[in-house]
């Protein structure tokens, strides 16, 4: 198990290195001269030259790459052009809001999707209504779903605030948007593993030895669903933490996604690339964590991966 | 299928619905508001400049569907190629290709899309390249896994043992067995690509107004939700219907046992 994790962690590092390389290449192709962005449109040639020298822009490409990689490896993602502050600080400031949204969205999809999936899996026949609802939910683009929820609940019915802050009430709509989108997957996965558990031979044993329904459900059915749900949830948290641009943009949620959109609109190169790198690190890290947690809750995974 | 064909027909015959840029004198109400649905001469009403919505939706179908079909074919094609080669040849080829795939899987979709779009421009071809870059890796990952499994099957091993060259084995034995999987992937990928393509335009990075595209029409329509909801509903219905068409095809294909739904596929 330890060896497997070390290999996975090594591969993760290679992936992150690849992302850093990719952002380096992308930086060259973005429009605009970075020195001029910092110094302003009326800067004298001398000032421009100083700025260029500070950014190492006159060095050869390999040497620039080396500077870039060493900086990133030390956690230095550069300084934002517009905000004049280190990119890493800007991202860290936004992290709590994004984390709250991610947890909210995850709770919606796990409880709603898991509940529906369990209900569907315990039925003798698959529910057609659930299948239809899944297909419809899959078809609505996130940004439109968010906007429609906003119009109906916040504007027309005036039940919830329009957004722009991070209070609990303002969390409901964005979290619901984020979560609703994931419900079909969780329902499908939970329903599937419930069916697998119900038809397994250990289930016959459990029923035969007279275990109460509640205990069977908790010990054999739900336990069996945990492993796939954790895999899904790990992936989701990573994606949500790396910035949900559409949802944050619709609800003016002050998280990383909104920061990304602003960075794009302002052509703030270091900020844009910084968020991409941080997001990639988060995705890789959470995949690793999901592997670990799955091994902890599901003995079968441990055997498979060491054997 | 029927929904998708209707969409394509709408795009092909767009010119018969009129000029999407024309601003006729009768395009607005006397108070300067857009005409509603089902007014004479404008079955889907007009937008805030008095342009005919039906013509705009039809021309929008051109941009949206061109992006969808081009990038679906290229991303699935690229993914299948990479997955096949990596899964079949193994060794350092596998490692190199799959590490590149991992990099593209780890990159956050929407923001990279925005960054790429600012480099590659905002035309149909540019956006198609952006969407391809964002989505080929998912196909590659799935095809890679399937190819690995197929490679261990006896008929493939027999073909290799008989000395058949790699290309022949791939073409004769592996590709035919992947066909239904690839078709399913293409359907789900198509759904995603429609949503993402118009999503980029919605955020202002894709096709720019005044060229009609469903995504930028959606963005325009949101501002008018109060007095002319059809400006939002009409393009939204188009996007939803086309995605719905792709998802339905994918569902029916996957029910025949090809692949199960991929969570991350439709995530944007």
């Amino acid at each position: 198990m330890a060896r497997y994790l070390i290999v996975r962690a090594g591969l993760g590092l290679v992936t992150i290195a690849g992302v850093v390389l990719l952002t380096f290449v992308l930086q060259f192709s973005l429009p605009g001269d970075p020195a001029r962005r910092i110094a302003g449109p009326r800067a004298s040639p001398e000032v421009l030259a100083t700025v260029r020298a500070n950014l190492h822009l006159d060095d050869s490409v390999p040497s620039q790459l080396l500077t870039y990689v060493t900086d990133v490896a030390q956690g230095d993602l550069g300084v934002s052009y517009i905000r004049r502050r280190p990119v890493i600080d800007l991202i860290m400031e936004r992290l709590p809001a994004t984390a709250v949204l991610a947890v909210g969205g995850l709770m919606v999809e796990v409880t709603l999707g898991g509940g529906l999936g369990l209900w569907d899996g315990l039925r003798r026949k698959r529910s057609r209504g659930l299948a239809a609802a899944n297909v419809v939910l899959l078809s609505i683009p996130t940004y439109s779903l968010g906007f429609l929820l906003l119009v109906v609940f916040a504007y027309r019915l005036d039940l919830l605030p329009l957004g722009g802050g991070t209070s609990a009430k303002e969390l409901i709509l964005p979290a619901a948007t984020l979560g609703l989108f994931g419900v079909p997957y969780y329902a499908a996965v939970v329903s599937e593993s419930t069916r697998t558990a119900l038809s397994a031979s250990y289930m016959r044993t459990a029923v035969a030895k007279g275990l109460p329904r509640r205990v069977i459900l908790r010990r054999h059915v739900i336990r069996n669903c945990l492993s796939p749900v954790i895999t899904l949830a790990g992936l989701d948290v990573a994606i949500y933490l790396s910035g949900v641009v559409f949802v944050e943009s619709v609800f003016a949620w002050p998280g990383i996604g909104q920061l990304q959109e602003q960075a794009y609109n302002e052509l703030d190169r270091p900020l844009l690339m910084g968020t991409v790198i941080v997001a990639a690190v988060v995705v890789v890290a959470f995949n690793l964590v999901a592997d670990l947690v799955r091994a902890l809750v599901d003995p079968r995974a441990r055997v498979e991966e060491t054997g | 299928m029927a929904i998708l064909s209707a969409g394509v027909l709408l795009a092909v015959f767009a010119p018969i619905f009129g000029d999407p840029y024309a601003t006729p004198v009768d395009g607005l109400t006397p108070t300067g508001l857009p005409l509603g649905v089902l007014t004479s001469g404008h079955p889907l009403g007009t937008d805030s400049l008095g342009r005919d919505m039906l013509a705009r939706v039809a021309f929008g179908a051109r941009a949206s569907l061109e992006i969808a079909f081009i990038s679906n074919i290229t991303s699935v094609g690229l993914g299948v190629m990479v997955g096949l080669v990596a899964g079949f040849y193994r060794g350092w080829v596998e490692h190199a290709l799959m590490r590149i795939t991992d990099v593209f899987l780890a990159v956050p979709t929407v923001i990279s899309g925005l960054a790429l779009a600012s480099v590659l421009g905002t035309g149909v071809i540019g956006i198609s390249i952006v969407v391809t870059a964002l989505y080929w890796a998912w196909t590659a990952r799935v095809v890679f896994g399937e190819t690995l499994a197929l490679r261990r099957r006896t008929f493939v091993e027999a073909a290799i043992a008989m000395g058949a060259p790699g290309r022949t084995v791939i073409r004769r034995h592996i590709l035919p067995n992947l066909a239904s999987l690839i078709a399913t992937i293409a359907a789900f990928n198509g759904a995603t690509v429609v949503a993402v393509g118009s999503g980029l335009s919605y955020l202002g990075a894709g096709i720019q107004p005044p060229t009609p595209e469903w995504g930028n029409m959606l963005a325009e329509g949101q501002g008018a939700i109060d007095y002319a909801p059809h400006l939002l509903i009409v393009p939204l219905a188009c996007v939803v219907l086309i995605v719905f068409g792709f998802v339905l095809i994918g569902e029916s294909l996957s029910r025949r046992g090809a692949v199960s739904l991929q969570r991350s596929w439709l995530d944007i």
Side-chain angles (χ1 to χ4, degrees):
Chain A
M1 189 66 212
R3 186 156 164 254
Y4 170 78
L5 277 181
I6 290 170
V7 171
R8 289 296 307 264
L11 290 184
L13 279 181
V14 175
T15 306
I16 292 169
V19 173
V20 172
L21 198 65
L22 196 67
T23 55
F24 180 74
V25 175
L26 259 183
Q27 293 200 347
F28 276 100
S29 34
L30 280 181
D33 173 14
R36 212 164 256 295
R37 294 280 298 168
I38 291 177
R42 272 174 301 187
S44 64
E46 293 79 32
V47 174
L48 271 181
T50 323
V51 174
R52 289 186 72 82
N54 280 341
L55 291 174
H56 306 283
L57 285 177
D58 298 323
D59 301 1
S60 66
V61 173
S63 131
Q64 280 193 46
L65 177 62
L66 190 70
T67 325
Y68 183 66
V69 170
T70 24
D71 281 353
V72 171
Q74 290 164 352
D76 176 7
L77 296 173
V79 177
S80 158
Y81 291 166
I82 311 293
R83 291 148 218 256
R84 310 272 153 132
R85 292 183 47 209
V87 168
I88 193 79
D89 294 354
L90 287 169
I91 295 177
M92 285 304 156
E93 261 170 30
R94 299 295 189 109
L95 194 60
T98 291
V100 168
L101 181 58
V103 171
L106 199 68
M107 269 161 60
V108 172
E109 59 189 12
V110 170
T111 48
L112 211 58
L116 281 175
L118 203 59
W119 171 76
D120 185 56
L122 293 174
R123 283 165 54 105
R124 198 148 302 171
K125 272 180 73 182
R126 255 165 239 273
S127 155
R128 286 185 155 270
L130 188 64
N134 282 353
V135 174
V136 171
L137 263 183
L138 284 178
S139 311
I140 305 176
T142 336
Y143 44 92
S144 298
L145 181 63
F147 185 75
L148 290 179
L149 286 178
L150 194 65
V151 166
V152 172
F153 288 102
Y155 187 62
R156 284 288 150 85
L157 300 178
D158 206 11
L159 289 175
L160 294 161
L162 278 167
T166 53
S167 68
K169 257 189 151 176
E170 280 160 325
L171 173 65
I172 297 176
L173 282 180
T177 310
L178 206 54
L180 269 182
F181 204 60
V183 166
Y185 299 96
Y186 284 83
V189 164
V190 169
S191 159
E192 204 49 55
S193 40
T194 305
R195 275 168 206 283
T196 322
L198 287 183
S199 56
S201 47
Y202 60 76
M203 186 58 61
R204 203 167 47 225
T205 315
V207 177
K209 73 183 180 189
L211 279 182
R213 224 181 122 76
R214 206 159 30 84
V215 177
I216 294 182
L217 208 60
R218 198 179 56 223
R219 209 184 280 170
H220 296 294
V221 177
I222 295 182
R223 185 102 191 251
N224 194 52
C225 300
L226 273 182
S227 166
V229 166
I230 287 171
T231 314
L232 269 183
L235 266 175
D236 276 356
V237 171
I239 290 169
Y240 294 166
L241 280 183
S242 60
V244 271
V245 180
F246 286 135
V247 175
E248 290 189 1
S249 145
V250 169
F251 292 99
W253 185 263
I256 294 177
Q258 201 189 42
L259 189 67
Q260 289 171 337
E261 202 195 350
Q262 288 166 359
Y264 164 74
N265 287 331
E266 294 160 354
L267 278 177
D268 198 336
R269 204 175 302 204
L271 190 56
L272 201 56
M273 295 309 157
T275 54
V276 172
I277 293 175
V278 169
V281 172
V282 169
V283 169
V284 169
F286 268 87
N287 275 334
L288 212 57
V289 171
D291 272 351
L292 193 66
V293 174
R294 201 173 47 211
L296 289 177
V297 297
D298 191 345
R300 282 170 303 185
R302 254 172 292 178
V303 177
E304 274 165 32
E305 277 150 11
T306 44
Chain B
M1 274 314 245
I3 299 175
L4 291 189
S5 327
V8 173
L9 285 180
L10 185 67
V12 171
F13 295 109
I16 61 169
F17 298 115
D19 180 357
Y21 302 110
T23 48
V25 269
D26 63 343
L28 295 169
T29 58
T31 45
L33 287 177
L35 294 175
V37 179
L38 290 180
T39 30
S40 64
H42 303 289
L44 292 177
T46 58
D47 75 354
S48 42
L49 294 177
R51 295 172 294 195
D52 183 50
M53 277 302 273
L54 180 59
R56 285 180 65 72
V57 165
F59 273 91
R62 286 193 164 180
S64 299
L65 293 181
E66 271 172 19
I67 294 174
F69 283 108
I70 294 175
S71 49
N72 195 19
I73 290 168
T74 49
S75 60
V76 171
L78 185 63
V80 166
M81 236 150 57
V82 170
L84 266 180
V85 170
F88 189 79
Y89 289 106
R90 311 296 306 274
W92 67 268
V93 182
E94 172 197 343
H95 285 293
L97 287 178
M98 291 325 282
R99 289 299 78 74
I100 298 175
T101 310
D102 278 349
V103 169
F104 278 87
L105 286 176
V107 158
T109 320
V110 179
I111 190 61
S112 326
L114 292 178
L116 277 175
S118 65
V119 178
L120 293 170
T122 48
V124 167
I125 299 296
I127 297 301
S128 302
I129 297 175
V130 172
V131 176
T132 305
L134 296 177
Y135 280 98
W136 68 271
W138 297 103
T139 308
R141 172 61 82 65
V142 177
V143 170
F144 170 70
E146 250 346 83
T147 310
L148 271 189
L150 277 174
R151 208 179 181 288
R152 282 195 288 269
R153 298 276 291 275
T154 35
F155 63 93
V156 176
E157 283 185 343
I160 295 171
M162 275 159 58
R167 257 184 315 133
T168 315
V169 179
I170 289 182
R171 206 177 50 233
R172 293 269 296 276
H173 299 289
I174 295 190
L175 261 184
N177 279 297
L178 286 177
S180 66
L181 175 81
I182 295 173
T184 316
I185 293 177
F188 283 123
N189 196 52
T192 313
V193 156
V194 173
V196 170
S198 60
L200 287 177
S201 305
Y202 168 83
L203 286 179
I207 307 294
Q208 301 295 325
T211 308
E213 198 271 351
W214 293 344
N216 68 38
M217 290 173 73
L218 270 175
E220 252 176 69
Q222 285 197 350
I225 185 77
D226 226 9
Y227 55 90
H230 67 281
L231 292 190
L232 175 67
I233 293 167
V234 171
L236 179 60
C238 290
V239 176
V240 170
L241 275 178
I242 293 294
V243 179
F244 189 63
F246 273 116
V247 171
L248 275 188
I249 295 177
E251 281 277 292
S252 66
L253 282 173
S254 73
R255 205 165 304 138
R256 286 185 203 155
V259 276
S260 57
L261 261 183
Q262 288 279 322
R263 166 69 174 112
S264 333
W265 215 287
L266 289 143
D267 225 352
I268 47 172

